[in-house]
Amino acid sequence: MEKKIALLPGDGIGKEVMDGAVEILKAIEEHYYHRFHFQYGMIGGAAIDEMNSPLPQETLQMCRESDAVLLGSVGGPKWDKNPSHLRPEKGLLALRKELDLYANLRPVETVESLLDSSPLKREYVEGVDFMIVRELTGGLYFGKPSERNVKNGEHTVVDTLFYKRDEMERIIERAFQLAQDRKKKVTSVDKANVLESSRMWREVAEEVAMKFPDVELQHMLVDHAAMALIHNPKQFDVIVTENMFGDILSDEASMLTGSLGMLPSASLSATGLHLYEPVHGSAPDIAGEDKANPVAMILSTAMMLRHSFKMEEEAEAIENAVKHVLDSGKRTADLTRKGEKPFSTSELVEEIKAALADDHAIFNIMEAYA
Amino acid sequence: MEKKIALLPGDGIGKEVMDGAVEILKAIEEHYYHRFHFQYGMIGGAAIDEMNSPLPQETLQMCRESDAVLLGSVGGPKWDKNPSHLRPEKGLLALRKELDLYANLRPVETVESLLDSSPLKREYVEGVDFMIVRELTGGLYFGKPSERNVKNGEHTVVDTLFYKRDEMERIIERAFQLAQDRKKKVTSVDKANVLESSRMWREVAEEVAMKFPDVELQHMLVDHAAMALIHNPKQFDVIVTENMFGDILSDEASMLTGSLGMLPSASLSATGLHLYEPVHGSAPDIAGEDKANPVAMILSTAMMLRHSFKMEEEAEAIENAVKHVLDSGKRTADLTRKGEKPFSTSELVEEIKAALADDHAIFNIMEAYA
Ligand SMILES: [Mg+2]
Ligand SMILES: [Mg+2]
């Protein structure tokens, strides 16, 4: 296959981990006879410095003409005092809005060899494998009015949780589709005992569930979900929820694996043009030192291959290579224990490439004998 | 001192744990020469059955005439199909509203001997000792409009996050007062990067902090707080936040100790009439079997002695007695490990009474020699 991929390294360690991801994609090209056209664009602080905008028109245009977008990370102390419209994060928010990326997917899967890094006991997190699907463009973070008022000397403030029924339907449907390719269970999280929006959410979930008789639907209140993620995370397959609940729960869930450096994410649109990025930030404190963990970025490219290009085999090959390398004890500094020598970013990428090549060689031999 | 205490056992295990709490209070009366007048009132399912109201007028009146209110728990499957106004939970919500209980306090303290029951590794939860202060009468759960609309065939829904500045001020002030008697640190949790209400919250926190120069103020975003409760809970002393964030975070935090049966709570008003209750529910599955863990209810009475009656010594005596009993391996069924014989509710209460008496005897001897 031939695909155009927009690469937006952004700031800080974004550049380094993006370099690693490109290496891996080139290996996939070679092993599986694909052709990837890479185009680089600027976003975030880098774009502010060079073009005085966190999301230059050229970058947006280039993304629109691509088949998928890979993003590193944005932000850093250098731009912390900038006015609101010249903040790096604004570039990412604007891109999400422009591309209508309404579904944020965050897989949370624990790796056997890294269970020691988790704050939770082994028996609680062993075998955890779920996906949080968060609505990303509606709810309390976008509703109007969001303003202060003064009346008879009394100061008040209001924010608004607003949803269209259609917005609920499309994200819940997406969650059910994802569950069909997984363990066929959807946990819909709401606060239906208190919020009218949650009661509508629950109804829509029930309706959508009728169209997926092979997928089980479970409802859970958001405060209970915050507990269940800790005391019984293995029960989950796909969790779907509105924007703010998803923000809180997905960050909570990110702690189960023990390293933010491990977690990829996807943001999907209705148009088919999706964005993939690591969950971690730009980590300015270690930027440029070849120390960053490239795994989250590399697993994000695997998600791209799966969700944008339907290259399931290639995606799994990357995931297996990463697992193989981590299981053999090779790790960047964020995951090493006392006395262990950490691998650099580029060394770890080389290891993952080597594992990919091995895996592919074995696959070819097996094919030849099949 | 002479005090009137309203006792509302409620439903399920509420009655059993209330009996235990009364035993302990009678022991305190005796050891410290106080006089407690107990008056029983009905609430929840029990009140619906007898008087066709989850909060009978008599009960409310009795509470108003008391110095403090102790509540067991309400609810059960028997009333699950009742119409909304005849649900047990409505009794508790109405009582909170009527008494204007705007500040919900939830201490989270791990007990050395129970660290094995926590889903988190020992090194993460050892020495954890913080208090979550949740605003309980404002925000998204009460704001209007909370309704559905249809316009040009498009179905939408809205909920409203509304706060008066004064409501923020009184709860944040309360948190700073509590921190003064603790480790002198307040973590104010908001979503100031997105919500206007959170930006006002942060300003008010800054203003209040000026009045408490001995207390350190830290701001934290709610999604970050959801992570920090897992990866570094020891950093916290007093966490203060608005209603919904507090709902989610306090339930998440309740998992750190490993048993909901351990956690007390207080709901404070501006009038000085406060309510105390365990965090756990009515556990209808084990009701009437003398199996329930009475510790949360007993620690709630300790909170009452401290916050309503300023009996700090008596409160600490109860807390020490509970700790002593748990440390000596005596536990109800929710906390025993395989092969251990559980104590019944009444047996555990007897043990705590005995520990109180011992502690008091030692205290008297020391006084005599002082
Ligand atoms: Mg977040
Ligand atoms: Mg709750």
Side-chain angles (χ1 to χ4, degrees):
Chain A
M1 275 201 248
E2 201 162 344
K3 295 289 178 189
K4 269 193 199 168
I5 304 172
L7 304 176
L8 314 181
D11 308 315
I13 60 167
K15 295 174 201 135
E16 296 153 67
V17 296
M18 184 64 84
D19 288 347
V22 170
E23 291 280 303
I24 299 300
L25 283 171
K26 284 181 178 163
I28 292 288
E29 255 189 318
E30 194 182 310
H31 297 324
Y32 294 88
Y33 311 105
H34 297 304
R35 188 87 187 84
F36 298 139
H37 302 278
F38 300 113
Q39 282 188 288
Y40 283 84
M42 280 199 289
I43 192 167
I48 294 169
D49 287 351
E50 293 256 339
M51 318 182 67
N52 208 35
S53 158
L55 180 67
Q57 205 51 47
E58 294 89 317
T59 300
L60 181 58
Q61 192 54 36
M62 193 199 70
C63 291
R64 289 220 162 97
E65 290 162 4
S66 302
D67 297 307
V69 181
L70 277 181
L71 183 118
S73 53
V74 297
K78 184 177 173 188
W79 307 280
D80 268 0
K81 302 257 179 262
N82 279 18
S84 162
H85 71 287
L86 286 180
R87 295 281 190 90
E89 299 74 22
K90 274 283 147 100
L92 183 51
L93 289 174
L95 189 60
R96 284 184 185 153
K97 196 91 198 156
E98 288 291 336
L99 302 183
D100 195 19
L101 302 167
Y102 70 90
N104 186 239
L105 274 52
R106 287 233 211 149
V108 177
E109 194 179 345
T110 50
V111 179
E112 180 60 31
S113 57
L114 291 178
L115 289 181
D116 288 342
S117 308
S118 170
L120 275 81
K121 286 175 184 153
R122 171 175 282 266
E123 59 268 33
Y124 286 86
V125 282
E126 201 165 29
V128 159
D129 178 11
F130 63 86
M131 166 97 78
I132 298 192
V133 180
R134 166 188 171 192
E135 205 289 325
L136 206 55
T137 54
L140 195 64
Y141 293 175
F142 293 96
K144 300 285 167 210
S146 166
E147 64 187 25
R148 303 182 188 208
N149 293 290
V150 190
K151 208 170 149 182
N152 308 327
E154 190 173 66
H155 291 251
T156 62
V157 65
V158 68
D159 283 295
T160 303
L161 199 176
F162 174 85
Y163 267 111
K164 298 179 189 174
R165 204 172 205 287
D166 297 348
E167 292 174 318
M168 296 180 177
E169 210 172 307
R170 66 177 180 175
I171 186 89
I172 294 171
E173 243 179 60
R174 183 72 82 158
F176 274 86
Q177 285 158 3
L178 289 163
Q180 279 188 314
D181 290 334
R182 297 176 48 100
K183 290 174 278 173
K184 301 193 190 325
K185 180 177 171 187
V186 169
T187 304
S188 168
V189 172
D190 61 40
K191 187 73 184 177
N193 52 345
V194 182
L195 300 178
E196 192 58 33
S197 55
S198 282
R199 282 187 280 267
M200 182 187 277
W201 179 278
R202 199 170 271 221
E203 281 172 28
V204 173
E206 294 281 350
E207 260 181 49
V208 171
M210 308 269 265
K211 291 189 255 175
F212 297 84
D214 55 330
V215 178
E216 180 198 344
L217 169 63
Q218 173 190 34
H219 299 290
M220 195 177 277
L221 295 175
V222 61
D223 45 345
H224 185 82
M227 295 198 269
L229 279 174
I230 296 177
H231 77 76
N232 186 13
K234 288 184 222 182
Q235 72 182 293
F236 296 117
D237 179 23
V238 173
I239 296 173
V240 62
T241 191
E242 63 89 49
N243 199 347
M244 181 189 44
F245 294 160
D247 185 13
I248 299 172
L249 295 183
S250 63
D251 279 345
E252 179 186 348
S254 73
M255 287 296 105
L256 300 182
T257 59
S259 171
L260 275 177
M262 297 285 301
L263 298 174
S265 80
S267 296
L268 310 183
S269 72
T271 64
L273 175 57
H274 311 319
L275 178 143
Y276 304 87
E277 60 179 318
V279 164
H280 63 68
S282 61
D285 51 318
I286 57 160
E289 298 184 22
D290 198 25
K291 273 186 188 171
N293 187 343
V295 167
M297 185 79 236
I298 289 170
L299 292 178
S300 298
T301 65
M303 288 191 86
M304 175 185 74
L305 298 181
R306 173 176 293 123
H307 294 287
S308 281
F309 306 157
K310 307 291 164 226
M311 297 178 184
E312 181 62 30
E313 193 187 322
E314 293 85 335
E316 280 179 24
I318 293 178
E319 288 161 354
N320 288 335
V322 166
K323 200 168 281 182
H324 176 80
V325 167
L326 294 172
D327 282 348
S328 63
K330 293 159 186 161
R331 295 157 195 194
T332 44
D334 54 320
L335 290 174
T336 46
R337 276 168 298 175
K338 262 183 200 134
E340 281 178 13
K341 194 189 157 307
F343 279 65
S344 70
T345 310
S346 43
E347 282 167 353
L348 201 78
V349 171
E350 283 309 310
E351 294 291 336
I352 295 169
K353 268 174 66 177
L356 256 181
D358 280 357
D359 183 59
H360 192 70
I362 292 166
F363 175 79
N364 278 348
I365 292 166
M366 285 171 65
E367 285 279 283
Y369 283 87
Chain B
M1 273 200 249
E2 199 162 345
K3 294 290 178 188
K4 268 193 199 170
I5 304 172
L7 304 176
L8 315 180
D11 308 313
I13 60 168
K15 295 174 201 136
E16 296 153 64
V17 296
M18 184 63 83
D19 288 346
V22 170
E23 291 280 304
I24 300 301
L25 282 171
K26 284 181 177 163
I28 292 289
E29 257 188 317
E30 192 182 313
H31 297 323
Y32 294 88
Y33 311 104
H34 297 305
R35 188 87 188 85
F36 298 138
H37 302 278
F38 300 112
Q39 282 188 288
Y40 283 85
M42 280 199 288
I43 193 168
I48 294 169
D49 287 351
E50 293 255 340
M51 316 181 68
N52 208 34
S53 158
L55 180 66
Q57 204 52 45
E58 293 90 315
T59 299
L60 180 58
Q61 192 53 35
M62 191 198 72
C63 290
R64 289 220 163 97
E65 290 162 4
S66 303
D67 297 306
V69 181
L70 277 181
L71 184 118
S73 53
V74 298
K78 184 178 174 189
W79 308 280
D80 268 0
K81 302 259 179 260
N82 279 18
S84 163
H85 70 286
L86 287 180
R87 294 282 190 91
E89 299 75 22
K90 275 282 148 104
L92 183 51
L93 290 175
L95 188 60
R96 283 185 186 152
K97 198 88 199 159
E98 289 292 336
L99 302 183
D100 195 20
L101 302 167
Y102 69 90
N104 186 239
L105 274 53
R106 285 231 213 152
V108 177
E109 193 179 345
T110 50
V111 179
E112 179 63 29
S113 57
L114 292 177
L115 288 180
D116 288 339
S117 308
S118 171
L120 274 82
K121 287 176 184 152
R122 171 175 284 267
E123 59 268 34
Y124 286 86
V125 283
E126 202 164 27
V128 159
D129 178 10
F130 62 86
M131 166 96 78
I132 299 192
V133 180
R134 166 187 171 192
E135 204 290 324
L136 205 56
T137 53
L140 196 62
Y141 294 175
F142 293 96
K144 301 284 166 208
S146 166
E147 64 187 24
R148 303 181 188 208
N149 292 292
V150 190
K151 207 171 151 182
N152 308 326
E154 191 173 65
H155 292 252
T156 63
V157 65
V158 68
D159 283 295
T160 302
L161 200 175
F162 174 84
Y163 266 111
K164 297 180 188 171
R165 205 174 203 286
D166 297 348
E167 292 173 319
M168 295 180 178
E169 210 172 307
R170 67 176 180 175
I171 185 90
I172 294 169
E173 243 179 60
R174 183 73 81 158
F176 272 87
Q177 285 159 2
L178 289 163
Q180 280 188 314
D181 290 333
R182 297 176 47 100
K183 291 174 276 173
K184 302 196 190 320
K185 180 176 171 188
V186 168
T187 303
S188 167
V189 172
D190 62 39
K191 187 75 185 175
N193 53 345
V194 181
L195 300 178
E196 193 58 34
S197 55
S198 283
R199 281 187 282 267
M200 181 187 278
W201 180 277
R202 198 171 271 220
E203 281 173 30
V204 173
E206 294 281 350
E207 260 181 49
V208 172
M210 308 269 264
K211 291 188 256 175
F212 297 84
D214 55 330
V215 178
E216 178 198 345
L217 169 64
Q218 172 191 34
H219 299 290
M220 195 177 279
L221 296 174
V222 61
D223 44 347
H224 186 82
M227 294 199 270
L229 280 174
I230 296 178
H231 77 76
N232 186 11
K234 286 182 223 182
Q235 72 183 293
F236 296 117
D237 179 22
V238 174
I239 297 174
V240 63
T241 190
E242 62 90 47
N243 200 345
M244 181 187 44
F245 294 159
D247 184 14
I248 299 172
L249 295 183
S250 63
D251 279 344
E252 179 186 348
S254 73
M255 288 296 104
L256 300 182
T257 58
S259 171
L260 275 177
M262 297 285 302
L263 299 173
S265 80
S267 296
L268 310 184
S269 72
T271 63
L273 175 57
H274 311 319
L275 178 143
Y276 304 85
E277 61 180 317
V279 164
H280 63 68
S282 61
D285 50 319
I286 57 161
E289 299 183 18
D290 198 26
K291 274 188 187 169
N293 189 341
V295 167
M297 185 79 235
I298 289 170
L299 292 177
S300 298
T301 66
M303 289 190 86
M304 173 184 76
L305 298 181
R306 173 175 294 123
H307 295 286
S308 281
F309 306 157
K310 306 292 164 228
M311 298 178 183
E312 180 61 32
E313 193 186 322
E314 293 85 333
E316 279 179 25
I318 293 177
E319 288 161 354
N320 288 335
V322 166
K323 200 169 280 182
H324 176 80
V325 167
L326 294 172
D327 282 349
S328 63
K330 293 160 186 161
R331 295 157 194 193
T332 43
D334 53 321
L335 290 173
T336 46
R337 276 169 299 176
K338 263 183 201 130
E340 281 179 15
K341 194 190 156 307
F343 279 65
S344 70
T345 310
S346 43
E347 282 167 354
L348 202 78
V349 170
E350 283 310 309
E351 294 291 335
I352 295 169
K353 268 174 66 178
L356 257 180
D358 279 357
D359 183 60
H360 191 71
I362 293 166
F363 176 79
N364 278 347
I365 292 165
M366 285 171 64
E367 286 279 281
Y369 283 86

PDB file of all heavy atoms in Angstrom, chain B residues 244-266:
ATOM      1  N   MET B 244     -18.283  17.793  42.172  1.00  0.00           N
ATOM      2  CA  MET B 244     -18.121  16.619  41.317  1.00  0.00           C
ATOM      3  C   MET B 244     -16.704  16.075  41.331  1.00  0.00           C
ATOM      4  O   MET B 244     -16.503  14.858  41.400  1.00  0.00           O
ATOM      5  CB  MET B 244     -18.503  16.971  39.894  1.00  0.00           C
ATOM      6  CG  MET B 244     -18.369  15.787  38.959  1.00  0.00           C
ATOM      7  SD  MET B 244     -18.627  16.314  37.287  1.00  0.00           S
ATOM      8  CE  MET B 244     -17.648  17.812  37.288  1.00  0.00           C
ATOM      9  N   PHE B 245     -15.709  16.956  41.262  1.00  0.00           N
ATOM     10  CA  PHE B 245     -14.326  16.492  41.350  1.00  0.00           C
ATOM     11  C   PHE B 245     -14.121  15.752  42.679  1.00  0.00           C
ATOM     12  O   PHE B 245     -13.459  14.716  42.747  1.00  0.00           O
ATOM     13  CB  PHE B 245     -13.333  17.655  41.259  1.00  0.00           C
ATOM     14  CG  PHE B 245     -13.327  18.366  39.929  1.00  0.00           C
ATOM     15  CD1 PHE B 245     -12.825  19.667  39.819  1.00  0.00           C
ATOM     16  CD2 PHE B 245     -13.798  17.755  38.776  1.00  0.00           C
ATOM     17  CE1 PHE B 245     -12.801  20.328  38.601  1.00  0.00           C
ATOM     18  CE2 PHE B 245     -13.786  18.415  37.539  1.00  0.00           C
ATOM     19  CZ  PHE B 245     -13.293  19.713  37.460  1.00  0.00           C
ATOM     20  N   GLY B 246     -14.713  16.296  43.740  1.00  0.00           N
ATOM     21  CA  GLY B 246     -14.585  15.680  45.055  1.00  0.00           C
ATOM     22  C   GLY B 246     -15.263  14.325  45.131  1.00  0.00           C
ATOM     23  O   GLY B 246     -14.773  13.407  45.792  1.00  0.00           O
ATOM     24  N   ASP B 247     -16.386  14.200  44.447  1.00  0.00           N
ATOM     25  CA  ASP B 247     -17.103  12.921  44.406  1.00  0.00           C
ATOM     26  C   ASP B 247     -16.190  11.846  43.810  1.00  0.00           C
ATOM     27  O   ASP B 247     -16.001  10.765  44.379  1.00  0.00           O
ATOM     28  CB  ASP B 247     -18.363  13.096  43.540  1.00  0.00           C
ATOM     29  CG  ASP B 247     -19.228  11.851  43.508  1.00  0.00           C
ATOM     30  OD1 ASP B 247     -19.019  10.950  44.344  1.00  0.00           O
ATOM     31  OD2 ASP B 247     -20.116  11.776  42.643  1.00  0.00           O
ATOM     32  N   ILE B 248     -15.591  12.162  42.665  1.00  0.00           N
ATOM     33  CA  ILE B 248     -14.760  11.180  41.954  1.00  0.00           C
ATOM     34  C   ILE B 248     -13.470  10.905  42.732  1.00  0.00           C
ATOM     35  O   ILE B 248     -13.100   9.755  42.974  1.00  0.00           O
ATOM     36  CB  ILE B 248     -14.443  11.682  40.530  1.00  0.00           C
ATOM     37  CG1 ILE B 248     -15.753  11.857  39.734  1.00  0.00           C
ATOM     38  CG2 ILE B 248     -13.497  10.718  39.811  1.00  0.00           C
ATOM     39  CD1 ILE B 248     -15.584  12.530  38.388  1.00  0.00           C
ATOM     40  N   LEU B 249     -12.784  11.962  43.154  1.00  0.00           N
ATOM     41  CA  LEU B 249     -11.484  11.769  43.811  1.00  0.00           C
ATOM     42  C   LEU B 249     -11.616  11.110  45.178  1.00  0.00           C
ATOM     43  O   LEU B 249     -10.757  10.309  45.577  1.00  0.00           O
ATOM     44  CB  LEU B 249     -10.746  13.103  43.947  1.00  0.00           C
ATOM     45  CG  LEU B 249     -10.327  13.788  42.639  1.00  0.00           C
ATOM     46  CD1 LEU B 249      -9.546  15.063  42.950  1.00  0.00           C
ATOM     47  CD2 LEU B 249      -9.493  12.872  41.749  1.00  0.00           C
ATOM     48  N   SER B 250     -12.684  11.436  45.929  1.00  0.00           N
ATOM     49  CA  SER B 250     -12.791  10.837  47.266  1.00  0.00           C
ATOM     50  C   SER B 250     -13.096   9.348  47.151  1.00  0.00           C
ATOM     51  O   SER B 250     -12.622   8.554  47.966  1.00  0.00           O
ATOM     52  CB  SER B 250     -13.826  11.573  48.123  1.00  0.00           C
ATOM     53  OG  SER B 250     -15.108  11.472  47.568  1.00  0.00           O
ATOM     54  N   ASP B 251     -13.867   8.958  46.144  1.00  0.00           N
ATOM     55  CA  ASP B 251     -14.105   7.526  45.980  1.00  0.00           C
ATOM     56  C   ASP B 251     -12.832   6.823  45.502  1.00  0.00           C
ATOM     57  O   ASP B 251     -12.518   5.719  45.956  1.00  0.00           O
ATOM     58  CB  ASP B 251     -15.275   7.281  45.019  1.00  0.00           C
ATOM     59  CG  ASP B 251     -16.619   7.427  45.735  1.00  0.00           C
ATOM     60  OD1 ASP B 251     -16.617   7.413  46.972  1.00  0.00           O
ATOM     61  OD2 ASP B 251     -17.648   7.550  45.065  1.00  0.00           O
ATOM     62  N   GLU B 252     -12.108   7.463  44.590  1.00  0.00           N
ATOM     63  CA  GLU B 252     -10.820   6.883  44.174  1.00  0.00           C
ATOM     64  C   GLU B 252      -9.905   6.703  45.398  1.00  0.00           C
ATOM     65  O   GLU B 252      -9.322   5.640  45.610  1.00  0.00           O
ATOM     66  CB  GLU B 252     -10.134   7.790  43.135  1.00  0.00           C
ATOM     67  CG  GLU B 252      -8.787   7.250  42.687  1.00  0.00           C
ATOM     68  CD  GLU B 252      -8.025   8.214  41.771  1.00  0.00           C
ATOM     69  OE1 GLU B 252      -8.628   9.198  41.294  1.00  0.00           O
ATOM     70  OE2 GLU B 252      -6.829   7.975  41.541  1.00  0.00           O
ATOM     71  N   ALA B 253      -9.805   7.744  46.219  1.00  0.00           N
ATOM     72  CA  ALA B 253      -8.902   7.715  47.380  1.00  0.00           C
ATOM     73  C   ALA B 253      -9.308   6.646  48.394  1.00  0.00           C
ATOM     74  O   ALA B 253      -8.470   6.103  49.110  1.00  0.00           O
ATOM     75  CB  ALA B 253      -8.878   9.087  48.051  1.00  0.00           C
ATOM     76  N   SER B 254     -10.610   6.335  48.431  1.00  0.00           N
ATOM     77  CA  SER B 254     -11.091   5.346  49.400  1.00  0.00           C
ATOM     78  C   SER B 254     -10.487   3.969  49.142  1.00  0.00           C
ATOM     79  O   SER B 254     -10.505   3.105  50.019  1.00  0.00           O
ATOM     80  CB  SER B 254     -12.618   5.257  49.359  1.00  0.00           C
ATOM     81  OG  SER B 254     -13.043   4.584  48.187  1.00  0.00           O
ATOM     82  N   MET B 255      -9.963   3.763  47.929  1.00  0.00           N
ATOM     83  CA  MET B 255      -9.371   2.466  47.605  1.00  0.00           C
ATOM     84  C   MET B 255      -7.982   2.281  48.214  1.00  0.00           C
ATOM     85  O   MET B 255      -7.478   1.170  48.297  1.00  0.00           O
ATOM     86  CB  MET B 255      -9.289   2.291  46.088  1.00  0.00           C
ATOM     87  CG  MET B 255     -10.618   2.061  45.421  1.00  0.00           C
ATOM     88  SD  MET B 255     -11.385   0.485  45.953  1.00  0.00           S
ATOM     89  CE  MET B 255     -12.653   1.083  47.082  1.00  0.00           C
ATOM     90  N   LEU B 256      -7.348   3.382  48.608  1.00  0.00           N
ATOM     91  CA  LEU B 256      -5.968   3.275  49.087  1.00  0.00           C
ATOM     92  C   LEU B 256      -5.856   2.421  50.345  1.00  0.00           C
ATOM     93  O   LEU B 256      -4.881   1.711  50.541  1.00  0.00           O
ATOM     94  CB  LEU B 256      -5.388   4.673  49.361  1.00  0.00           C
ATOM     95  CG  LEU B 256      -5.333   5.636  48.170  1.00  0.00           C
ATOM     96  CD1 LEU B 256      -4.703   6.954  48.593  1.00  0.00           C
ATOM     97  CD2 LEU B 256      -4.555   5.042  47.012  1.00  0.00           C
ATOM     98  N   THR B 257      -6.874   2.507  51.217  1.00  0.00           N
ATOM     99  CA  THR B 257      -6.779   1.781  52.485  1.00  0.00           C
ATOM    100  C   THR B 257      -7.134   0.308  52.346  1.00  0.00           C
ATOM    101  O   THR B 257      -6.836  -0.472  53.242  1.00  0.00           O
ATOM    102  CB  THR B 257      -7.753   2.368  53.526  1.00  0.00           C
ATOM    103  OG1 THR B 257      -9.068   2.285  52.986  1.00  0.00           O
ATOM    104  CG2 THR B 257      -7.429   3.809  53.829  1.00  0.00           C
ATOM    105  N   GLY B 258      -7.800  -0.058  51.249  1.00  0.00           N
ATOM    106  CA  GLY B 258      -8.112  -1.470  51.068  1.00  0.00           C
ATOM    107  C   GLY B 258      -9.444  -1.887  51.649  1.00  0.00           C
ATOM    108  O   GLY B 258      -9.914  -2.974  51.396  1.00  0.00           O
ATOM    109  N   SER B 259     -10.095  -1.044  52.447  1.00  0.00           N
ATOM    110  CA  SER B 259     -11.436  -1.399  52.917  1.00  0.00           C
ATOM    111  C   SER B 259     -12.301  -0.179  53.158  1.00  0.00           C
ATOM    112  O   SER B 259     -11.972   0.707  53.943  1.00  0.00           O
ATOM    113  CB  SER B 259     -11.381  -2.189  54.212  1.00  0.00           C
ATOM    114  OG  SER B 259     -12.702  -2.329  54.736  1.00  0.00           O
ATOM    115  N   LEU B 260     -13.439  -0.167  52.474  1.00  0.00           N
ATOM    116  CA  LEU B 260     -14.416   0.899  52.695  1.00  0.00           C
ATOM    117  C   LEU B 260     -14.950   0.847  54.126  1.00  0.00           C
ATOM    118  O   LEU B 260     -15.417   1.854  54.646  1.00  0.00           O
ATOM    119  CB  LEU B 260     -15.589   0.737  51.733  1.00  0.00           C
ATOM    120  CG  LEU B 260     -15.434   1.331  50.349  1.00  0.00           C
ATOM    121  CD1 LEU B 260     -16.665   1.007  49.509  1.00  0.00           C
ATOM    122  CD2 LEU B 260     -15.258   2.836  50.430  1.00  0.00           C
ATOM    123  N   GLY B 261     -14.856  -0.311  54.762  1.00  0.00           N
ATOM    124  CA  GLY B 261     -15.369  -0.489  56.118  1.00  0.00           C
ATOM    125  C   GLY B 261     -14.586   0.288  57.167  1.00  0.00           C
ATOM    126  O   GLY B 261     -14.931   0.297  58.344  1.00  0.00           O
ATOM    127  N   MET B 262     -13.504   0.936  56.724  1.00  0.00           N
ATOM    128  CA  MET B 262     -12.605   1.667  57.617  1.00  0.00           C
ATOM    129  C   MET B 262     -12.850   3.168  57.616  1.00  0.00           C
ATOM    130  O   MET B 262     -12.301   3.881  58.446  1.00  0.00           O
ATOM    131  CB  MET B 262     -11.165   1.472  57.151  1.00  0.00           C
ATOM    132  CG  MET B 262     -10.672   0.063  57.187  1.00  0.00           C
ATOM    133  SD  MET B 262     -10.328  -0.404  58.867  1.00  0.00           S
ATOM    134  CE  MET B 262      -9.117   0.866  59.277  1.00  0.00           C
ATOM    135  N   LEU B 263     -13.609   3.690  56.626  1.00  0.00           N
ATOM    136  CA  LEU B 263     -13.553   5.131  56.360  1.00  0.00           C
ATOM    137  C   LEU B 263     -14.726   5.917  56.931  1.00  0.00           C
ATOM    138  O   LEU B 263     -15.876   5.715  56.546  1.00  0.00           O
ATOM    139  CB  LEU B 263     -13.460   5.373  54.848  1.00  0.00           C
ATOM    140  CG  LEU B 263     -12.223   4.778  54.188  1.00  0.00           C
ATOM    141  CD1 LEU B 263     -12.311   4.928  52.672  1.00  0.00           C
ATOM    142  CD2 LEU B 263     -10.959   5.453  54.701  1.00  0.00           C
ATOM    143  N   PRO B 264     -14.451   6.870  57.823  1.00  0.00           N
ATOM    144  CA  PRO B 264     -15.490   7.743  58.373  1.00  0.00           C
ATOM    145  C   PRO B 264     -15.652   8.987  57.493  1.00  0.00           C
ATOM    146  O   PRO B 264     -14.834   9.234  56.605  1.00  0.00           O
ATOM    147  CB  PRO B 264     -14.898   8.156  59.711  1.00  0.00           C
ATOM    148  CG  PRO B 264     -13.417   8.242  59.432  1.00  0.00           C
ATOM    149  CD  PRO B 264     -13.126   7.162  58.400  1.00  0.00           C
ATOM    150  N   SER B 265     -16.703   9.754  57.755  1.00  0.00           N
ATOM    151  CA  SER B 265     -16.834  11.048  57.078  1.00  0.00           C
ATOM    152  C   SER B 265     -17.628  12.002  57.950  1.00  0.00           C
ATOM    153  O   SER B 265     -18.366  11.579  58.849  1.00  0.00           O
ATOM    154  CB  SER B 265     -17.524  10.892  55.719  1.00  0.00           C
ATOM    155  OG  SER B 265     -18.923  10.805  55.887  1.00  0.00           O
ATOM    156  N   ALA B 266     -17.432  13.294  57.682  1.00  0.00           N
ATOM    157  CA  ALA B 266     -18.185  14.332  58.370  1.00  0.00           C
ATOM    158  C   ALA B 266     -18.761  15.270  57.322  1.00  0.00           C
ATOM    159  O   ALA B 266     -18.138  15.506  56.297  1.00  0.00           O
ATOM    160  CB  ALA B 266     -17.264  15.114  59.307  1.00  0.00           C
TER     161      ALA B 266
END
